[in-house]
Amino acid sequence: MAGYFETAPDGGAAIALDEVEISILRSLAVQFLELVGPGPAGPEPGDDPLAELFAEGPTERPADPALARLFPDAYVDPEGKADDEALAASSEFRRYTENDLRARKRDDALVVVRSLDALDPARDRAAVLTLSDQESRRWLGTLNDLRLTIGTRLDVDEDPDGDLYRLPDEDPRKPLMMAYMWLGGLQETLIETLTP
């Protein structure tokens, strides 16, 4: 288990992580939770229990490019073009789906944080994280969200020979780019463990 996910003996996935890796993953997940924002306030005692089910979310696309990437318009083409009808449909779709999508992303990121908090790498200089199949899928969602966020912040494109992949050590973007690539490796090996 050399820093990448492998299939766990009882199903799910396992990975050995040292203190630095745990710290980086936890920090990224916590920052992601801050980006996505807190959930809506819970119902007050005596409130209608169905009220939250019918609560409406935002109708406007987020101004932050990373959030716009995480919560894209539903009826707009990849280049961002849409007619008035498509924009209205996207707005309506967002109103009824974005709160649930944000909640799922928060819940998945919390699974990552809590599972990392349960590790004790100091004992053996590394700790083995073992995830159930369901936890693995939640980790996969968060790893993907983290990569999308970092990729948007760095403006990563599809060119594997691009300048971002050859940044000099003194470039302040290099640590984030290294995290982006590392998360990609984690994501890829986690997918492999979940693929029969």
Side-chain angles (χ1 to χ4, degrees):
M1 226 177 296
Y4 291 106
F5 284 98
E6 296 178 4
T7 304
D10 297 332
I15 186 172
L17 297 168
D18 64 28
E19 286 184 77
V20 173
E21 293 166 327
I22 292 168
S23 176
I24 292 168
L25 283 168
R26 188 181 190 290
S27 175
L28 290 171
V30 168
Q31 290 176 58
F32 179 76
L33 284 165
E34 292 170 0
L35 175 68
V36 171
E44 295 293 323
D47 281 355
D48 180 1
L50 296 177
E52 190 172 324
L53 180 64
F54 296 107
E56 294 182 5
T59 58
E60 298 294 320
R61 183 175 203 215
D64 182 314
L67 287 173
R69 180 69 174 100
L70 292 167
F71 307 106
D73 287 323
Y75 301 103
V76 176
D77 72 21
E79 294 164 7
K81 297 176 184 170
D83 58 22
D84 289 342
E85 188 175 316
L87 289 173
S90 289
S91 176
E92 196 69 7
F93 184 80
R94 180 180 301 282
R95 176 185 307 182
Y96 294 110
T97 61
E98 187 171 314
N99 283 346
D100 288 340
L101 187 55
R102 280 180 185 261
R104 194 195 75 211
K105 289 181 181 300
R106 270 191 303 275
D107 290 346
D108 289 352
L110 282 170
V111 166
V112 170
V113 171
R114 289 177 180 143
S115 58
L116 291 170
D117 285 348
L119 296 177
D120 183 13
R123 183 182 55 211
D124 300 317
R125 298 177 43 107
V128 175
L129 173 67
T130 303
L131 303 171
S132 68
D133 188 59
Q134 181 181 9
E135 289 169 328
S136 296
R137 293 177 192 287
R138 297 184 95 169
W139 263 74
L140 187 58
T142 297
L143 290 173
N144 186 60
D145 289 340
L146 291 174
R147 286 193 79 235
L148 285 173
T149 302
I150 293 171
T152 302
R153 294 281 190 246
L154 292 173
D155 200 21
V156 174
D157 60 23
E158 299 294 320
D159 181 10
D161 296 323
D163 292 340
L164 284 172
Y165 291 93
R166 295 179 312 231
L167 293 171
D169 289 343
E170 61 274 4
D171 192 305
R173 299 172 297 172
K174 185 158 187 174
L176 264 183
M177 191 61 195
M178 291 178 69
Y180 175 83
M181 292 186 295
W182 177 54
L183 291 169
L186 293 178
Q187 186 178 11
E188 184 178 336
T189 59
L190 186 52
I191 289 169
E192 289 170 3
T193 68
L194 297 174
T195 305

